[in-house]
Amino acid sequence: MSHVVVIGGGATGLSTAFWLRRAGVAVTVIEKGIVGWEASGRNGGGATHAVSPLFAEEQRLWPMMDDLLGYPTEYQRQRIRIGLSRQQLDLILEGVTIARKQGFTAQELDNKFLRELVPFVSEHAAGGVLLEYGGHANPQRTLQAYAWAVQDHGGTIQQHTTVTGFDQAGGNITAVRTDQGTFGCDAVVMAAGPHTAQLAAKLGIRVPVAAARAEMVVTEPLPLIRFGGADGNGVYGRQTLRGNLAYGGGPHEWIDLPDATTPRAVNSPVMQSVAKRVFELFPKVAHARVIRSWAGVIENTPDGRPILDRLTGPDNLVIASMSSVGFGLSPATGHAVEQLVTQGKCDFADLSQLKLSRFDTLAPDWQEAAGWVPWKSEESAA
Amino acid sequence: MVAGFDPTSIARKNFAVEDHVPLVVIGAGPAGIAAAVEAANLGLRVMLVDEHPVASALMGIDVPWMFGERMSAAVQNQGRMLEHIVAARPALQAAFDAGVDVRLGVYAWSAFVEGPTSKALPGPMLGLADEERAWFIRFDRIIVAAGARDLGLAFPGWDKPGVMGANGFAAATSLYGAFTGRRIAILGGGAAGRETIRQAQAAGIEIAGVIDVAPIAPIQGIPTHPNHRITGVTGTEVEAITIARPDGTGAQTIACDTIVLAVDVVPTVEMFDLLACATKFNGTSGGWVPVTDPTGRTSRPGVYAAGDCAGITDAALANPTHAEAAGRRAARAAARDAGLSAPDDLAPPEPPTPDRDQWRRAWLAAHATTPDLPICRCEEVPLEDLLGVRPPRYLAYDATKFETRDLRSLAAEGPVNQDQVKRLTRAGMGPCQGRRCREQVQALLAMQGNQATASVPMPSYRAPLRPLPLSVLAAFEESPEVKQEWTAWFGIAAQWYPHWEKVPDDLKYETRWNPGVEE
């Protein structure tokens, strides 16, 4: 293996490139815009994915990432899930069971202890759970850290470069064509998020992903709480190390991606509902001012689970679409994809459920059937 | 086939609106009032929204203008301030008389319009708020007459209490009548500086002098200090300003309790960005401006621009009749577009005047000489950290890693992007929402690469356009379907089953998160 082209400068692509360089493989990352510019840099920063086969590796790697990359990621260990009602708390405990089955532990918090750890919470909250695992990081800082680390290790990042096609010979991709020239390669990793579908289509491969917009709000800085990764009440997010509360959730909007560009993701009236839930979660800081909001474009597969697969035709292509949970898992994903490229299989996680072939019998109109298509109100259509 | 339905998506969600107005006008300055009155007289139902009096807490963080902690306690009495504002803007009476629905003390904090990532709304929506609650209205047309913002330009000591902007000073003295200073030094010998002199003289405030890095035309009875730079500010609050020529000669100290940074003002274009209007950088118009036709029509049908927010001119800064004419032009265009008959257009606006961008860059060049000069005051980003694209100082990091990384190395990898630099350094990320550093960061990034200021793309504006408390945004009645079908994430059930469990045959959604607090 002498040269790998990674398409997509998001969390998955950059982490893959980083791990490939560590394995001594020459790598070029091709990014249509700026590294980390899309969903990878616009998310809640969570690093707690107990449902994933990559969970154990995610948990093993995050505490090392600052040192591995050489730049700060703002990673913080542990999280607190808050249940305002008994019903919410039961849902949280249901989720915690999944991690407990994998050997991780969590501690239930009564209201008093919860409020000692998170003074923003009301005395009426049912309780919480302190996870002894998981954590959160700053997506924007982490993505730049990945990119700089790839360069520090001798990798190349081509920003503002759009893939236009592929050259194939003998069942393999031999080059990636772009608007900035052609890049010869021995293997290709496709990690282009919602654009993976269009790219794969150039090779006659169907990668079923649908794109959606989701949004978050952020407040002015507040005094730091001990475990900033505190969320619940239907919103996910964290207190940043600067002190801002950054939370998201609520209705997403399915969108069309007609070409290789990603349109600017705008906010919607949903942002007010997000703020309402943050207010309910943290009534003691009701005065905190919301100063910003943002949105991102995210892809999902039909079953909501990732596609991490080394294909057989072409033989040297790995598809890596994380189906809306890319950032937190990225340290582990990059490691797994590096192994798929260099060894053909991952030796630390069972990726058998994440094969593209599970969608071979998927109906052509699956997106319409699911309603994962843009929706226009009757009034505006009229 | 009939499309399926994702209950956790925005499809079929309703967002309560309190009104649907044919024309909303943002800003009750000369342009906005004239636009509202003209449109109402032409037969449109008009709502006129203006944020003043703004909460005193916002003034404390220099929103919307640089108030420099020079507002008296009187601003805490909103009722009294409301009376003062109505008295200070006598033209408002004409708006009341014309039947305009005048909303004072109301923030226009967001606009939501159809676009590539937003198709589900029934039509254009505007987010409004006061000190208690937030609500939405729908509108058919909108005239943005949002005026100008203060231009932040760093100099040693500019972060001390007592440093105001030209708009902040004008508001303190005339709009609110709540200025606490007695003796001011004015920075800037141009149109904004001359307007500041006029305001100060009208309010009986002593002017200690006018300072500029450029030549200043002589002003009767006021000491001027042309071709000087600021070397410091004395006191923990402003007690005096020290100045010198670029070569260090002519150093002197000028006693004053307030410094009015009146080099220039900037078009307030934030609402145009949310309304998805095309903008362009025009150094002679004072920065980013909406692309408009001579009547104020923007690139987006139904959106019009009038007054300073469409571009700054020296003539308009000196005389409000220019903005009033622009407001009437926009109102007539809106009326015609609504199918009403309207008189012929007034004379087109005058061409812009000097190259404001070059003058601003000269101010920055004169002062951006020390590494610790504070640029972003909210996030405490000094000049060296901005140009070095350093992480914020509360983070531990390996400084040797940054010996070869700075703005120039970043620029070698692609065009400099202000939003990217913001993410890395936090410059412009604070509670004042970048109001004090947005323009100077853009100019500094351009200057560092010997580029035109226009080459740095406009950083995005995001709602809320004013910092709004969680409690205010939360004070609204959420529609039942938003509440019942709420999920933290996509709600695709299989996404939350452990990987060792099989994916169910049919698509299920997880919506058990609501209701939350009630049960």
Side-chain angles (χ1 to χ4, degrees), chain B residues 315-344:
Chain B
L317 286 179
N319 186 342
T321 58
H322 295 265
E324 290 161 4
R328 284 191 289 271
R329 272 195 302 275
R332 291 174 186 187
R336 260 196 294 277
D337 293 347
L340 300 169
S341 64
D344 287 341

PDB file of all heavy atoms in Angstrom, chain B residues 315-344:
ATOM      1  N   ALA B 315     -22.885  62.235   3.366  1.00  0.00           N
ATOM      2  CA  ALA B 315     -24.043  63.128   3.274  1.00  0.00           C
ATOM      3  C   ALA B 315     -25.161  62.649   4.193  1.00  0.00           C
ATOM      4  O   ALA B 315     -25.795  63.443   4.895  1.00  0.00           O
ATOM      5  CB  ALA B 315     -24.528  63.194   1.831  1.00  0.00           C
ATOM      6  N   ALA B 316     -25.400  61.341   4.220  1.00  0.00           N
ATOM      7  CA  ALA B 316     -26.494  60.811   5.038  1.00  0.00           C
ATOM      8  C   ALA B 316     -26.163  60.890   6.526  1.00  0.00           C
ATOM      9  O   ALA B 316     -27.051  61.072   7.358  1.00  0.00           O
ATOM     10  CB  ALA B 316     -26.800  59.376   4.643  1.00  0.00           C
ATOM     11  N   LEU B 317     -24.871  60.771   6.871  1.00  0.00           N
ATOM     12  CA  LEU B 317     -24.509  60.896   8.286  1.00  0.00           C
ATOM     13  C   LEU B 317     -24.791  62.312   8.772  1.00  0.00           C
ATOM     14  O   LEU B 317     -25.125  62.531   9.931  1.00  0.00           O
ATOM     15  CB  LEU B 317     -23.028  60.549   8.498  1.00  0.00           C
ATOM     16  CG  LEU B 317     -22.661  59.070   8.413  1.00  0.00           C
ATOM     17  CD1 LEU B 317     -21.160  58.885   8.621  1.00  0.00           C
ATOM     18  CD2 LEU B 317     -23.437  58.244   9.431  1.00  0.00           C
ATOM     19  N   ALA B 318     -24.653  63.298   7.863  1.00  0.00           N
ATOM     20  CA  ALA B 318     -24.824  64.693   8.264  1.00  0.00           C
ATOM     21  C   ALA B 318     -26.274  65.150   8.216  1.00  0.00           C
ATOM     22  O   ALA B 318     -26.634  66.117   8.872  1.00  0.00           O
ATOM     23  CB  ALA B 318     -23.967  65.589   7.358  1.00  0.00           C
ATOM     24  N   ASN B 319     -27.106  64.434   7.457  1.00  0.00           N
ATOM     25  CA  ASN B 319     -28.442  64.965   7.199  1.00  0.00           C
ATOM     26  C   ASN B 319     -29.452  63.833   7.045  1.00  0.00           C
ATOM     27  O   ASN B 319     -29.398  63.074   6.080  1.00  0.00           O
ATOM     28  CB  ASN B 319     -28.394  65.809   5.912  1.00  0.00           C
ATOM     29  CG  ASN B 319     -29.708  66.520   5.649  1.00  0.00           C
ATOM     30  OD1 ASN B 319     -30.751  66.161   6.209  1.00  0.00           O
ATOM     31  ND2 ASN B 319     -29.656  67.524   4.794  1.00  0.00           N
ATOM     32  N   PRO B 320     -30.413  63.729   7.965  1.00  0.00           N
ATOM     33  CA  PRO B 320     -31.343  62.592   7.944  1.00  0.00           C
ATOM     34  C   PRO B 320     -32.316  62.601   6.773  1.00  0.00           C
ATOM     35  O   PRO B 320     -32.989  61.603   6.545  1.00  0.00           O
ATOM     36  CB  PRO B 320     -32.094  62.732   9.278  1.00  0.00           C
ATOM     37  CG  PRO B 320     -31.919  64.149   9.694  1.00  0.00           C
ATOM     38  CD  PRO B 320     -30.612  64.599   9.134  1.00  0.00           C
ATOM     39  N   THR B 321     -32.389  63.691   6.028  1.00  0.00           N
ATOM     40  CA  THR B 321     -33.341  63.696   4.907  1.00  0.00           C
ATOM     41  C   THR B 321     -32.955  62.657   3.851  1.00  0.00           C
ATOM     42  O   THR B 321     -33.814  62.185   3.113  1.00  0.00           O
ATOM     43  CB  THR B 321     -33.418  65.087   4.237  1.00  0.00           C
ATOM     44  OG1 THR B 321     -32.117  65.465   3.782  1.00  0.00           O
ATOM     45  CG2 THR B 321     -33.946  66.113   5.224  1.00  0.00           C
ATOM     46  N   HIS B 322     -31.662  62.312   3.783  1.00  0.00           N
ATOM     47  CA  HIS B 322     -31.243  61.284   2.822  1.00  0.00           C
ATOM     48  C   HIS B 322     -31.867  59.946   3.184  1.00  0.00           C
ATOM     49  O   HIS B 322     -32.383  59.229   2.326  1.00  0.00           O
ATOM     50  CB  HIS B 322     -29.720  61.173   2.790  1.00  0.00           C
ATOM     51  CG  HIS B 322     -29.044  62.405   2.290  1.00  0.00           C
ATOM     52  ND1 HIS B 322     -28.664  62.565   0.976  1.00  0.00           N
ATOM     53  CD2 HIS B 322     -28.697  63.557   2.923  1.00  0.00           C
ATOM     54  CE1 HIS B 322     -28.098  63.753   0.822  1.00  0.00           C
ATOM     55  NE2 HIS B 322     -28.102  64.374   1.997  1.00  0.00           N
ATOM     56  N   ALA B 323     -31.813  59.609   4.477  1.00  0.00           N
ATOM     57  CA  ALA B 323     -32.381  58.326   4.921  1.00  0.00           C
ATOM     58  C   ALA B 323     -33.898  58.331   4.762  1.00  0.00           C
ATOM     59  O   ALA B 323     -34.504  57.329   4.367  1.00  0.00           O
ATOM     60  CB  ALA B 323     -31.999  58.060   6.382  1.00  0.00           C
ATOM     61  N   GLU B 324     -34.519  59.480   5.042  1.00  0.00           N
ATOM     62  CA  GLU B 324     -35.977  59.563   4.896  1.00  0.00           C
ATOM     63  C   GLU B 324     -36.388  59.315   3.445  1.00  0.00           C
ATOM     64  O   GLU B 324     -37.348  58.586   3.165  1.00  0.00           O
ATOM     65  CB  GLU B 324     -36.467  60.941   5.364  1.00  0.00           C
ATOM     66  CG  GLU B 324     -36.353  61.118   6.882  1.00  0.00           C
ATOM     67  CD  GLU B 324     -36.382  62.577   7.322  1.00  0.00           C
ATOM     68  OE1 GLU B 324     -36.564  63.468   6.463  1.00  0.00           O
ATOM     69  OE2 GLU B 324     -36.201  62.820   8.530  1.00  0.00           O
ATOM     70  N   ALA B 325     -35.639  59.906   2.523  1.00  0.00           N
ATOM     71  CA  ALA B 325     -35.949  59.699   1.100  1.00  0.00           C
ATOM     72  C   ALA B 325     -35.772  58.231   0.727  1.00  0.00           C
ATOM     73  O   ALA B 325     -36.577  57.660  -0.020  1.00  0.00           O
ATOM     74  CB  ALA B 325     -35.059  60.593   0.244  1.00  0.00           C
ATOM     75  N   ALA B 326     -34.719  57.625   1.262  1.00  0.00           N
ATOM     76  CA  ALA B 326     -34.480  56.207   0.964  1.00  0.00           C
ATOM     77  C   ALA B 326     -35.622  55.351   1.511  1.00  0.00           C
ATOM     78  O   ALA B 326     -36.059  54.384   0.872  1.00  0.00           O
ATOM     79  CB  ALA B 326     -33.145  55.765   1.574  1.00  0.00           C
ATOM     80  N   GLY B 327     -36.114  55.692   2.689  1.00  0.00           N
ATOM     81  CA  GLY B 327     -37.239  54.962   3.267  1.00  0.00           C
ATOM     82  C   GLY B 327     -38.471  55.069   2.388  1.00  0.00           C
ATOM     83  O   GLY B 327     -39.162  54.072   2.138  1.00  0.00           O
ATOM     84  N   ARG B 328     -38.747  56.264   1.887  1.00  0.00           N
ATOM     85  CA  ARG B 328     -39.928  56.438   1.018  1.00  0.00           C
ATOM     86  C   ARG B 328     -39.754  55.687  -0.304  1.00  0.00           C
ATOM     87  O   ARG B 328     -40.701  55.086  -0.804  1.00  0.00           O
ATOM     88  CB  ARG B 328     -40.183  57.936   0.777  1.00  0.00           C
ATOM     89  CG  ARG B 328     -40.833  58.627   1.991  1.00  0.00           C
ATOM     90  CD  ARG B 328     -41.327  60.024   1.652  1.00  0.00           C
ATOM     91  NE  ARG B 328     -40.221  60.955   1.461  1.00  0.00           N
ATOM     92  CZ  ARG B 328     -39.665  61.666   2.460  1.00  0.00           C
ATOM     93  NH1 ARG B 328     -40.116  61.548   3.693  1.00  0.00           N
ATOM     94  NH2 ARG B 328     -38.669  62.484   2.211  1.00  0.00           N
ATOM     95  N   ARG B 329     -38.519  55.703  -0.839  1.00  0.00           N
ATOM     96  CA  ARG B 329     -38.280  54.939  -2.085  1.00  0.00           C
ATOM     97  C   ARG B 329     -38.594  53.466  -1.881  1.00  0.00           C
ATOM     98  O   ARG B 329     -39.254  52.828  -2.697  1.00  0.00           O
ATOM     99  CB  ARG B 329     -36.806  55.072  -2.509  1.00  0.00           C
ATOM    100  CG  ARG B 329     -36.492  56.261  -3.380  1.00  0.00           C
ATOM    101  CD  ARG B 329     -35.116  56.110  -4.041  1.00  0.00           C
ATOM    102  NE  ARG B 329     -34.035  55.947  -3.088  1.00  0.00           N
ATOM    103  CZ  ARG B 329     -33.398  56.968  -2.494  1.00  0.00           C
ATOM    104  NH1 ARG B 329     -33.754  58.208  -2.751  1.00  0.00           N
ATOM    105  NH2 ARG B 329     -32.420  56.730  -1.654  1.00  0.00           N
ATOM    106  N   ALA B 330     -38.085  52.922  -0.775  1.00  0.00           N
ATOM    107  CA  ALA B 330     -38.294  51.487  -0.513  1.00  0.00           C
ATOM    108  C   ALA B 330     -39.780  51.203  -0.305  1.00  0.00           C
ATOM    109  O   ALA B 330     -40.308  50.185  -0.777  1.00  0.00           O
ATOM    110  CB  ALA B 330     -37.488  51.064   0.711  1.00  0.00           C
ATOM    111  N   ALA B 331     -40.481  52.116   0.399  1.00  0.00           N
ATOM    112  CA  ALA B 331     -41.911  51.914   0.642  1.00  0.00           C
ATOM    113  C   ALA B 331     -42.689  51.913  -0.660  1.00  0.00           C
ATOM    114  O   ALA B 331     -43.602  51.110  -0.865  1.00  0.00           O
ATOM    115  CB  ALA B 331     -42.440  53.001   1.575  1.00  0.00           C
ATOM    116  N   ARG B 332     -42.323  52.802  -1.561  1.00  0.00           N
ATOM    117  CA  ARG B 332     -43.021  52.858  -2.850  1.00  0.00           C
ATOM    118  C   ARG B 332     -42.749  51.596  -3.665  1.00  0.00           C
ATOM    119  O   ARG B 332     -43.647  51.071  -4.332  1.00  0.00           O
ATOM    120  CB  ARG B 332     -42.596  54.103  -3.628  1.00  0.00           C
ATOM    121  CG  ARG B 332     -43.099  55.375  -2.970  1.00  0.00           C
ATOM    122  CD  ARG B 332     -42.571  56.625  -3.630  1.00  0.00           C
ATOM    123  NE  ARG B 332     -42.988  57.798  -2.865  1.00  0.00           N
ATOM    124  CZ  ARG B 332     -42.791  59.045  -3.274  1.00  0.00           C
ATOM    125  NH1 ARG B 332     -42.176  59.285  -4.413  1.00  0.00           N
ATOM    126  NH2 ARG B 332     -43.203  60.050  -2.528  1.00  0.00           N
ATOM    127  N   ALA B 333     -41.503  51.125  -3.602  1.00  0.00           N
ATOM    128  CA  ALA B 333     -41.181  49.884  -4.317  1.00  0.00           C
ATOM    129  C   ALA B 333     -42.000  48.726  -3.741  1.00  0.00           C
ATOM    130  O   ALA B 333     -42.559  47.909  -4.482  1.00  0.00           O
ATOM    131  CB  ALA B 333     -39.687  49.594  -4.210  1.00  0.00           C
ATOM    132  N   ALA B 334     -42.087  48.673  -2.417  1.00  0.00           N
ATOM    133  CA  ALA B 334     -42.843  47.590  -1.773  1.00  0.00           C
ATOM    134  C   ALA B 334     -44.316  47.686  -2.132  1.00  0.00           C
ATOM    135  O   ALA B 334     -44.970  46.671  -2.414  1.00  0.00           O
ATOM    136  CB  ALA B 334     -42.658  47.657  -0.260  1.00  0.00           C
ATOM    137  N   ALA B 335     -44.852  48.912  -2.149  1.00  0.00           N
ATOM    138  CA  ALA B 335     -46.266  49.097  -2.479  1.00  0.00           C
ATOM    139  C   ALA B 335     -46.531  48.671  -3.916  1.00  0.00           C
ATOM    140  O   ALA B 335     -47.508  47.970  -4.199  1.00  0.00           O
ATOM    141  CB  ALA B 335     -46.670  50.553  -2.258  1.00  0.00           C
ATOM    142  N   ARG B 336     -45.658  49.093  -4.812  1.00  0.00           N
ATOM    143  CA  ARG B 336     -45.841  48.708  -6.221  1.00  0.00           C
ATOM    144  C   ARG B 336     -45.770  47.195  -6.370  1.00  0.00           C
ATOM    145  O   ARG B 336     -46.576  46.580  -7.066  1.00  0.00           O
ATOM    146  CB  ARG B 336     -44.769  49.364  -7.088  1.00  0.00           C
ATOM    147  CG  ARG B 336     -45.277  50.612  -7.825  1.00  0.00           C
ATOM    148  CD  ARG B 336     -44.335  50.986  -8.958  1.00  0.00           C
ATOM    149  NE  ARG B 336     -43.054  51.412  -8.436  1.00  0.00           N
ATOM    150  CZ  ARG B 336     -42.802  52.646  -8.006  1.00  0.00           C
ATOM    151  NH1 ARG B 336     -43.743  53.561  -8.038  1.00  0.00           N
ATOM    152  NH2 ARG B 336     -41.618  52.962  -7.544  1.00  0.00           N
ATOM    153  N   ASP B 337     -44.795  46.571  -5.688  1.00  0.00           N
ATOM    154  CA  ASP B 337     -44.654  45.113  -5.788  1.00  0.00           C
ATOM    155  C   ASP B 337     -45.871  44.407  -5.199  1.00  0.00           C
ATOM    156  O   ASP B 337     -46.162  43.265  -5.552  1.00  0.00           O
ATOM    157  CB  ASP B 337     -43.384  44.651  -5.066  1.00  0.00           C
ATOM    158  CG  ASP B 337     -42.123  45.141  -5.767  1.00  0.00           C
ATOM    159  OD1 ASP B 337     -42.240  45.618  -6.925  1.00  0.00           O
ATOM    160  OD2 ASP B 337     -41.028  45.069  -5.164  1.00  0.00           O
ATOM    161  N   ALA B 338     -46.579  45.101  -4.294  1.00  0.00           N
ATOM    162  CA  ALA B 338     -47.786  44.522  -3.692  1.00  0.00           C
ATOM    163  C   ALA B 338     -49.015  44.802  -4.539  1.00  0.00           C
ATOM    164  O   ALA B 338     -50.133  44.468  -4.145  1.00  0.00           O
ATOM    165  CB  ALA B 338     -47.981  45.068  -2.277  1.00  0.00           C
ATOM    166  N   GLY B 339     -48.814  45.441  -5.700  1.00  0.00           N
ATOM    167  CA  GLY B 339     -49.924  45.672  -6.611  1.00  0.00           C
ATOM    168  C   GLY B 339     -50.648  46.984  -6.381  1.00  0.00           C
ATOM    169  O   GLY B 339     -51.688  47.226  -6.985  1.00  0.00           O
ATOM    170  N   LEU B 340     -50.107  47.823  -5.517  1.00  0.00           N
ATOM    171  CA  LEU B 340     -50.723  49.130  -5.272  1.00  0.00           C
ATOM    172  C   LEU B 340     -50.070  50.146  -6.207  1.00  0.00           C
ATOM    173  O   LEU B 340     -48.964  49.952  -6.695  1.00  0.00           O
ATOM    174  CB  LEU B 340     -50.515  49.557  -3.816  1.00  0.00           C
ATOM    175  CG  LEU B 340     -51.113  48.621  -2.769  1.00  0.00           C
ATOM    176  CD1 LEU B 340     -50.612  48.989  -1.383  1.00  0.00           C
ATOM    177  CD2 LEU B 340     -52.637  48.671  -2.817  1.00  0.00           C
ATOM    178  N   SER B 341     -50.803  51.260  -6.423  1.00  0.00           N
ATOM    179  CA  SER B 341     -50.166  52.297  -7.223  1.00  0.00           C
ATOM    180  C   SER B 341     -49.405  53.219  -6.294  1.00  0.00           C
ATOM    181  O   SER B 341     -49.838  53.499  -5.177  1.00  0.00           O
ATOM    182  CB  SER B 341     -51.215  53.072  -8.031  1.00  0.00           C
ATOM    183  OG  SER B 341     -52.087  53.739  -7.156  1.00  0.00           O
ATOM    184  N   ALA B 342     -48.253  53.656  -6.758  1.00  0.00           N
ATOM    185  CA  ALA B 342     -47.394  54.512  -5.940  1.00  0.00           C
ATOM    186  C   ALA B 342     -46.800  55.572  -6.845  1.00  0.00           C
ATOM    187  O   ALA B 342     -46.611  55.340  -8.034  1.00  0.00           O
ATOM    188  CB  ALA B 342     -46.291  53.680  -5.287  1.00  0.00           C
ATOM    189  N   PRO B 343     -46.491  56.755  -6.287  1.00  0.00           N
ATOM    190  CA  PRO B 343     -45.916  57.816  -7.121  1.00  0.00           C
ATOM    191  C   PRO B 343     -44.569  57.400  -7.691  1.00  0.00           C
ATOM    192  O   PRO B 343     -43.977  56.417  -7.253  1.00  0.00           O
ATOM    193  CB  PRO B 343     -45.756  58.992  -6.154  1.00  0.00           C
ATOM    194  CG  PRO B 343     -46.321  58.581  -4.859  1.00  0.00           C
ATOM    195  CD  PRO B 343     -46.663  57.146  -4.907  1.00  0.00           C
ATOM    196  N   ASP B 344     -44.095  58.210  -8.635  1.00  0.00           N
ATOM    197  CA  ASP B 344     -42.785  57.937  -9.227  1.00  0.00           C
ATOM    198  C   ASP B 344     -41.704  57.945  -8.154  1.00  0.00           C
ATOM    199  O   ASP B 344     -41.841  58.594  -7.119  1.00  0.00           O
ATOM    200  CB  ASP B 344     -42.450  59.002 -10.279  1.00  0.00           C
ATOM    201  CG  ASP B 344     -43.287  58.790 -11.531  1.00  0.00           C
ATOM    202  OD1 ASP B 344     -43.809  57.664 -11.701  1.00  0.00           O
ATOM    203  OD2 ASP B 344     -43.437  59.755 -12.299  1.00  0.00           O
TER     204      ASP B 344
END
